[in-house]
Amino acid sequence: PSLIGSDFLFLAMSTVIAIGGVSRSGKSTVADWLGIQLKNATVLHQDEYALPKDQLPKVKGLPNWELPESIDWNAWHTAITQAKNHYDYVIIEGILVFANANINVLIDQSIYLGIEKEDFLKRRLDEMRWGKEPEWFIEYVWEAHLKYGLPPSDLKAIQMKDITSGQYFEVLTAIKQQG
């Protein structure tokens, strides 16, 4: 049987780009920018696949988005595979983007946005999206990232440290060179 016109052939032509990093490292900003720069691209934010707040694990009584158990992996996997049928580039981003082996096998290119702990602490303390967070929780977010958020070595992630908007084209160039 011919593979021409089959889903297999079409899926092989789509590129999944994963962008990971700790909270406040610039993942969403870079992903959204790439989604505009790349033709026929879509962006899937991992936050949209987090479990409802009342189903999240807790840490000292607070909702814990920092654990792999906080994500509906099946729904995210389905969304990614469906997007591959319609887009040339599927950009996925999140703090736990590299935390699931079933998602990792879908990734063609990966980018890790690193920031120094001091910068993370300052950015997170300045953030008020969830109200004022206790300092112990912000420290917990950092430690959870080190445990669950780093890319596995087999993905050979492009490492970007303290990315600025002036470096976005470097990311685009690296993606095109790898592709």
Side-chain angles (χ1 to χ4, degrees):
S2 172
L3 291 178
I4 296 174
S6 73
D7 283 343
F8 174 79
L9 185 61
F10 192 76
L11 289 175
M13 295 172 62
S14 183
T15 300
V16 176
I17 302 167
I19 303 173
V22 72
S23 172
R24 310 309 301 160
S25 61
K27 300 172 304 298
S28 296
T29 304
V30 172
D32 290 340
W33 184 85
L34 281 174
I36 293 167
Q37 299 301 313
L38 296 169
K39 291 186 180 187
N40 197 28
T42 190
V43 178
L44 300 175
H45 300 281
Q46 191 174 53
D47 288 351
E48 296 172 18
Y49 300 90
L51 296 174
K53 194 173 180 179
D54 64 340
Q55 294 178 26
L56 289 171
K58 302 260 190 270
V59 57
K60 296 186 181 182
L62 295 176
N64 189 350
W65 283 278
E66 314 307 317
L67 299 175
E69 300 87 64
S70 68
I71 303 298
D72 183 341
W73 295 105
N74 290 332
W76 207 32
H77 188 279
T78 298
I80 295 166
T81 55
Q82 287 177 350
K84 287 179 65 147
N85 287 322
H86 303 286
Y87 297 94
D88 293 333
Y89 295 95
V90 179
I91 303 161
I92 61 174
E93 69 82 19
I95 60 172
L96 298 167
V97 74
F98 305 119
N100 182 281
N102 292 327
I103 300 296
N104 289 348
V105 298
L106 300 175
I107 297 171
D108 298 301
Q109 297 177 336
S110 54
I111 301 164
Y112 178 76
L113 303 181
I115 60 174
E116 295 294 329
K117 182 177 181 182
E118 296 76 29
D119 293 330
F120 160 76
L121 293 172
K122 180 182 180 336
R123 292 176 190 179
R124 191 68 189 234
L125 283 167
D126 290 345
E127 178 182 37
M128 291 296 145
R129 187 173 15 169
W130 299 286
K132 181 148 176 57
E133 295 174 311
E135 289 189 31
W136 68 263
F137 183 76
I138 295 172
E139 184 69 33
Y140 170 79
V141 169
W142 179 261
E143 295 302 321
H145 171 70
L146 296 178
K147 187 171 183 178
Y148 303 111
L150 300 176
S153 60
D154 62 322
L155 287 179
K156 296 179 179 54
I158 298 167
Q159 303 278 331
M160 302 290 297
K161 189 106 171 156
D162 296 318
I163 193 165
T164 64
S165 58
Q167 294 172 298
Y168 291 177
F169 280 103
E170 291 177 35
V171 174
L172 186 61
T173 300
I175 287 169
K176 290 185 174 184
Q177 286 175 346
Q178 281 189 354

